[in-house]
Structures are given as structure tokens and as C-alpha cells.
Amino acid sequence: QVQLVESGGGLVQPGGSLRLSCAASGLLFGSYIMGWYRQTPGKQREMVARIIPAGSTNYADSVKGRFTISRDNAKKTVYLQMISLNSEDTAVYYCNAVVLPAVYWGQGTQVTVAS
């Protein structure tokens, strides 16, 4: 059974930082494209960052230069380091694992940026 378990969310002040983690189990982690998505009420889930098995990354324009995705294949964990957070980053953040046709999602972790 595949499980993606996110952690590291919480309340942070504008300008602050957080690091999200996603621990995976039940899959061949090193073969999967791993990603972080986020969603706010009434909006579609949007891609934040993705990292392929070889390590190349891509980011949404809104987070470029502020967020960094990384992966540790030995630990089966993907990370999202977030700096210079602002209120528009407030959302539920979801971990995603893809090797088509398989797509898996975590349960999400809330990130709230507020003073």
C-alpha cells in the first residue's frame, strides 16, 4: 500500500520560512516524479514544484527563487524548503508521486502565513 505522509506545515509570519517533508512508503521511490502541489478553498490544485528521479526540477513562476524542492532517495523523502513566505502562499500543500499511470497523493498539510 502506497503512503505519502506530509509534515512540517504550520503558522508562520510573513517573510518567514518552513520546510515541508513527505515520507513515502510502498513504492519504488527512486523511479517516481515527486511533486508538491497546493490548494486554497474554491481554487484548483496547482503545481508548486516537481523533481524527477535524476534530480532536475521545475517550479511555478510564483515560487521561483523562494522555494526549493529536493529528494533523498535513500530516505524515500521529498522536501520543500520555503523562504520569504507571504499570505498568497497560504494553502494546503500536497505531496504527489507519479509514474504513469500511477498517481498518488498525500493527505495534505496546512501552511498559513499570517502575522
Side-chain angles (χ1 to χ4, degrees), residues 33-60:
I33 298 170
M34 299 301 298
W36 287 97
Y37 288 68
R38 66 188 181 187
Q39 189 170 23
T40 55
K43 292 188 177 181
Q44 285 192 330
R45 193 171 295 186
E46 64 173 356
M47 191 276 292
V48 174
R50 287 183 300 200
I51 184 167
I52 69 171
S56 295
T57 59
N58 67 295
Y59 298 91

Side-chain angles (χ1 to χ4, degrees), residues 6-21 36-39 46-49 59 62-70 78-94 109-113:
E6 301 100 333
S7 61
L11 174 63
V12 62
Q13 292 188 340
S17 302
L18 278 176
R19 189 176 83 153
L20 305 182
S21 300
W36 287 97
Y37 288 68
R38 66 188 181 187
Q39 189 170 23
E46 64 173 356
M47 191 276 292
V48 174
Y59 298 91
S62 59
V63 307
K64 281 181 181 176
R66 300 188 299 120
F67 290 12
T68 303
I69 188 170
S70 61
V78 61
Y79 305 97
L80 185 67
Q81 178 68 51
M82 306 184 291
I83 66 170
S84 302
L85 287 161
N86 59 61
S87 59
E88 294 185 351
D89 297 315
T90 295
V92 178
Y93 284 71
Y94 296 91
T109 186
Q110 176 70 46
V111 172
T112 301
V113 184

